Amino acid sequence: MKIEIDAAACVGAGQCVLTAEDLFDQDDDGIVLLLNAEPDESRYAAARRSAALCPARAITIHE
Amino acid sequence: MELKSHSDVLIIGASTAGCATAESLRHEGFTGSITVLGNETSAPYNRPPLSKHVLLGEWESEKADIFADGAAERAGIDLHTDVTAHALNTAERSVSTNRGDISYGTLVIATGARARQLPASVDPDHVALTLRTREDSMLLRERLENSRSVVVIGSGVLGSEIAAAARKKGCAVTIVGRSGALTLGSVRDLLTQRLERLHAQNDVELRLAEGVASITHDGTTAHVTLTSGEQLDADTVVAAVGAIPNVEWLESSGLTTSPALNCDSHGQCAENIYAVGDVAAWHDSRTGRWLPDEHQLTALQHGQAVARHIATGEKAEPPVPFFWSELYGVRFQAYGRFPAEAELVTTHGDRESGDFVALSMLDGLPHGVVASNMSRYFRQARPAVDATLSGTPAPATTTTPSTAPPGGQS
């Protein structure tokens, strides 16, 4: 799995951080920061959930 | 692609909620057939960018697409555009469309809502544009490029967003609102002073507590006459006066549709039938009412909750309203509920003029959080709101840490 983010689309909702704080963080403007682009299999479900819940659809999962 | 005559899950409406249901069914391990029918010719798209990046011309409209090229096919989702559903027969478990009848195992209704038009008595020649579809956004974008003056009718968040976009394009802008206050989604009129100031700082004229008596067009210019008698001339007039759920096709189905489709707190409205997104009002067990919630995240969460229920039988927590807007580079976000009897308490910043975070406090508990910028503080306040709304409250801190740097806290 590879996680891709689109910072230009991000609206800073923080949904991803609340879902998987080991994979995502926010900068001072609230924009998404990717902490781990290639997570372990144990975190695949959390990564998928983060992408699905992003209101701006700024997270893409490549599997 | 051929339209099959049966689908295990049939989703009517290629909206955000409809597409989220289809995608989530696969994530939940559902292996049956999934068909999504959309009545527009366009590929499915997300709405929020239509009044923001796309309207401003910063994004090509394709960037609002829900599915990347081939993604629906790869997920085994039969997606058909330009198909209109005419009627639902619940006894036969069948939907009739302009492409024939389709039977279903489970039906998901995701037909969304459409822009409310001004009454014909006010605007008989349909001078006012509306903004709801991708096509609307592209037309308005072109018009803003070629207009010097714009009148926006509507004091809600969409009206404010259109006004901000028109200003950015260099147009002179007036907002006309029947309500005496500017509203911002679920936060209602709680930030009206802040919004009024923001528009004023950006040279937008406001005419609040004013109705529109008539709109005419003389071939070159539109004339908007207000109930006070004042006349506003404009190159472009836009009406952002709400949305109407698309339920007419369900008239003969026996389902309750007034004005939206009433569902239980998990999105079910009849045996083997669910409704998601803007067409649905899910029951809120906390208040005992049916709550329509026309926001992007709710549409996604509706889709996910219904998909889980269909695939696994598990019930998800009902969604908590979240919405955001961006006006003149200031990002507003709101999460949770803002009941009229609650008090808005600022925890960070300055609500009247600058960036801030504020909690909607009721009985000493935070029911909602709203922020202008300060996204991290906003996020950090959300779990306390979740705790209140899920019935396991933890007291929230409403004092401002005096040593915290503005906008940043880890």
Side-chain angles (χ1 to χ4, degrees), chain A residues 6 11 13 26 29 57, chain B residues 46 63 297 331 333 379 382:
Chain A
D6 180 352
V11 297
Q26 289 173 284
D29 293 327
R57 296 184 72 103
Chain B
N46 291 303
K63 202 161 169 355
L297 187 60
R331 187 189 307 133
Q333 300 190 85
R379 184 195 83 222
R382 285 179 46 177

Side-chain angles (χ1 to χ4, degrees), chain B residues 65-385:
Chain B
D65 282 354
I66 289 178
F67 292 113
D69 265 348
E73 275 168 35
R74 282 196 299 279
I77 297 166
D78 278 337
L79 171 66
H80 298 268
T81 54
D82 209 8
V83 181
T84 305
H86 295 310
L88 162 65
N89 184 326
T90 54
E92 294 188 3
R93 291 197 186 180
S94 165
V95 172
S96 65
T97 78
N98 61 327
R99 301 259 305 269
D101 292 357
I102 305 168
S103 62
Y104 58 82
T106 302
L107 179 70
V108 179
I109 298 169
T111 41
R114 61 185 179 277
R116 185 187 296 279
Q117 307 288 328
L118 292 172
S121 56
V122 171
D123 183 16
D125 300 326
H126 302 291
V127 173
L129 303 178
T130 53
L131 175 52
R132 180 82 196 172
T133 65
R134 170 139 68 183
E135 215 173 308
D136 293 341
S137 177
M138 299 312 288
L139 175 62
L140 183 57
R141 167 163 140 181
E142 191 198 319
R143 290 282 290 272
L144 293 184
E145 292 288 349
N146 298 302
S147 294
R148 286 154 303 169
S149 53
V150 176
V151 169
V152 179
I153 300 163
S155 52
V157 61
L158 183 59
S160 281
E161 287 184 343
I162 295 168
R167 280 301 298 139
K168 203 160 181 182
K169 290 289 168 193
C171 307
V173 179
T174 306
I175 296 177
V176 180
R178 200 160 51 179
S179 142
L182 293 170
T183 59
L184 197 68
S186 55
V187 186
R188 298 174 292 104
D189 59 356
L190 292 170
L191 298 179
T192 186
Q193 285 170 359
R194 179 71 205 284
L195 295 175
E196 282 178 27
R197 187 169 304 171
L198 200 49
H199 282 305
Q201 283 164 349
N202 288 279
D203 299 317
V204 169
E205 296 275 330
L206 296 177
R207 299 286 185 277
L208 297 178
E210 275 268 25
V212 174
S214 72
I215 304 177
T216 57
H217 201 281
D218 63 16
T220 47
T221 305
H223 308 287
V224 179
T225 306
L226 306 185
T227 42
S228 64
E230 185 182 1
Q231 184 174 303
L232 304 169
D233 296 340
D235 296 322
T236 296
V237 181
V238 194
V241 291
I244 302 170
N246 292 319
V247 294
E248 289 77 4
W249 70 283
L250 296 166
E251 209 163 70
S252 62
S253 69
L255 298 178
T256 309
T257 57
S258 59
L261 257 172
N262 286 350
C263 301
D264 69 13
S265 53
H266 306 285
Q268 201 161 358
C269 54
E271 201 191 342
N272 300 309
I273 303 178
Y274 298 81
V276 292
D278 291 355
V279 75
W282 286 23
H283 190 255
D284 180 40
S285 49
R286 294 179 285 258
T287 59
R289 287 183 297 205
W290 280 274
L291 293 177
D293 178 14
E294 298 170 354
H295 295 127
Q296 169 85 357
L297 187 60
T298 300
L300 293 170
Q301 290 176 319
H302 276 179
Q304 287 164 16
V306 163
R308 177 173 297 179
H309 199 211
I310 293 171
T312 69
E314 281 173 42
K315 290 180 173 176
E317 281 287 305
V320 174
F322 165 85
F323 94 102
W324 83 95
S325 177
E326 202 164 313
L327 301 171
Y328 311 107
V330 179
R331 187 189 307 133
F332 292 95
Q333 300 190 85
Y335 181 76
R337 305 215 176 274
F338 298 83
E341 58 276 26
E343 188 194 356
L344 204 58
V345 179
T346 304
T347 59
H348 300 85
D350 173 5
R351 199 160 85 218
E352 295 306 314
S353 57
D355 293 347
F356 70 88
V357 179
L359 297 174
S360 159
M361 298 295 294
L362 186 62
D363 303 326
L365 295 171
H367 285 243
V369 56
V370 55
S372 138
N373 294 328
M374 300 189 116
S375 294
R376 301 177 92 193
Y377 286 122
F378 170 79
R379 184 195 83 222
Q380 286 158 0
R382 285 179 46 177
V385 172

Side-chain angles (χ1 to χ4, degrees), chain A residues 1-62:
Chain A
M1 171 182 285
K2 196 165 183 348
I3 305 174
E4 193 190 331
I5 57 167
D6 180 352
C10 175
V11 297
Q15 198 72 36
C16 55
V17 187
L18 291 166
T19 306
E21 61 180 355
D22 56 327
L23 305 180
F24 304 97
D25 198 358
Q26 289 173 284
D27 70 11
D28 285 348
D29 293 327
I31 299 303
V32 60
L33 297 171
L34 187 55
L35 300 180
N36 184 356
E38 296 178 33
D40 295 343
E41 212 173 321
S42 64
R43 301 300 289 154
Y44 282 8
R48 286 188 202 112
R49 206 159 51 240
S50 302
L53 276 173
C54 173
R57 296 184 72 103
I59 301 168
T60 310
I61 306 286
H62 301 282

